Amino acid sequence: MAANPREIQIRELKDTISQLNTTIKVLTETIEQGQKREAVMQEQIDYLTKKLFGRSSEKHITQVEGQMSIYDLFDEAEKEADPSAPEPTPAEDDEIEVKAHTRKKKPTNDDKFADLPVKEIPIELPESKLICPQCGSKLEAFGKEYVREEIVFIPARMERIKYYTVSYRCKACCEGLSGFDKGIIMKSVAPDTLIPKSPASPSSVAWTIYQKYANAMPLYRQEKDWLTQYGVILTRATLAKWIIYCAGHYLKPLYEYFHREMLKRKFLMADETRIQVLKEPGRDPQTDSFMWLFRTGEDGEPPIVMYGYTQTRAKYNAEEFLKGFEGYLETDGYQGYNNLPGIKRCCCWSHVRRGFFDAIPKGQKKDLSNPAVQGVAYCDKLFYYERKSAEKEHTYEQRHEYRLAKEKPVIDAFIQWLDKQEPLKGSRMEKAINYAKNRKEYLTTYLEDGRCSLSNNLSENAIRPFTVGRKNWLFADTPNGAEASAICYTMIEMAKAHDLNPFLYLNYVLTNRFGKCPTDVQLSMVAPWSDNVQAACKELPSDQNLSDMN
């Protein structure tokens, strides 16, 4: 039986509606995917804009007044149930006592210039005005009044020192007056030169190293500075030779001594960054090499800070440097530190926090309903407890117990919170979540000992001078130069870690250099924690203390 035209029309309309619904569904999914891509791209634009033009600091998020933070839930009862708190009275209801705040004292000139020598200049009347206008008698000084002060810059100066050996003879023996046939002649012995056939002195080499590695001044600029400021012609090739020779002959034994001492410790930190070395055998000049930073942790012993150059970032480089070390290692998220023999790895919570901080949308830093802000809040709570522990001057044992009581619940809640998150695919929030999830097993390692650190900030701060200097000198020419740079940066950072003047310390080490194969006992005498070094290298450079070293 032929279909009714009306039924045919209805079926066609239903098919059309079904096709339109399918098309709408596809278009809706396409729009949603496009919106997600747009959101990810806009997030990336905001992030890059903030990196280029925004503030570089990662300050703690300020809580909105009257709003309970995500981590207040952990210790609300602890805050509210204070047994020593008195019952409120009507007067207390009417008046609120505001705790007085303290403001850091503004430093005076005496504070800022305390280490500078003082020269007083009296402002006297000229001789022609020392006559009393009333009786004509001569005026005499009877007091003085302070007016002002200024600091005067006195440029450094160079000296050309020539050494001569002196010959001595016995006049009686040489002229046959003593009854002996043999004349006696003796000659003084000249001290060993720092670099054979070179005018280099400990102070000039120390200044060259200090300028490049502490002040980030490339050798081509030092070459100009030596000529224009001091009238000395020294090419950058000569300066580079000085650095490489002294680093290899005099500083390297001390560097290796620091390494041996570091491996005896139980708490270390590590970081790494890129360096370009132009003339590495078998490698293109554009290939990345790496400068590693290893330093001791917060164990209460004298700090040791070391740089190390390698051609690659491969895991075996860290394994080789740390061979013989057994203990805890604080690092960032690089997987090359995983499963090193005898080492327990600690996760840096600053890196965890940074991922969430970078994922906060523009203008929402104080919006605690945003998941990224919540992630930062969890991390901030841990740092808050760390500051409180430091303020209370806890011993390492007390710090360990305090962390278990205060910080472990925060971490447990944080991990549960992580598992509930469903971030937008490809977003910075997804990256932050995955970064934290992939390091779950290392998040709580620091809780095992009070001497472990919550973050890797100390090593990041120690490697920063290298990254700043790299912007100026850009690359190393040869592997020998890169290795010399690692040694020199080590000496500079070791001096700074022990509150020494880096230039004076370099000059001290080069002046009191040892011969071949010095013993650890000898090297300990020029280590920055030595009492003699502490006494000699904390002052400002002067002609007197430089001559005393010589």
Side-chain angles (χ1 to χ4, degrees), residues 59-64 365-366:
K59 282 192 173 183
H60 296 277
I61 297 169
T62 303
Q63 183 178 341
V64 178
K365 287 185 178 181
K366 297 180 181 180

Side-chain angles (χ1 to χ4, degrees), residues 395-406 447 450:
T395 64
Y396 295 125
E397 292 78 10
Q398 291 173 331
R399 188 182 186 187
H400 171 61
E401 296 298 328
Y402 184 82
R403 284 174 168 176
L404 292 177
K406 298 291 188 179
L447 296 174

Side-chain angles (χ1 to χ4, degrees), residues 21 26 33 60 104 108 156 184 206 265 287 312 335 372 376 531:
N21 286 335
V26 172
Q33 292 174 359
H60 296 277
K104 188 176 180 181
T108 64
I184 298 298
R265 303 291 185 85
T287 307
T312 69
Q335 296 182 354
V376 173
D531 291 340

Side-chain angles (χ1 to χ4, degrees), residues 424-442:
L424 183 65
K425 187 176 181 180
S427 65
R428 301 204 70 83
M429 185 62 180
E430 184 190 43
K431 294 179 181 178
I433 293 290
N434 291 338
Y435 183 95
K437 283 184 174 181
N438 292 337
R439 289 152 186 84
K440 275 186 181 180
E441 60 180 307
Y442 307 121

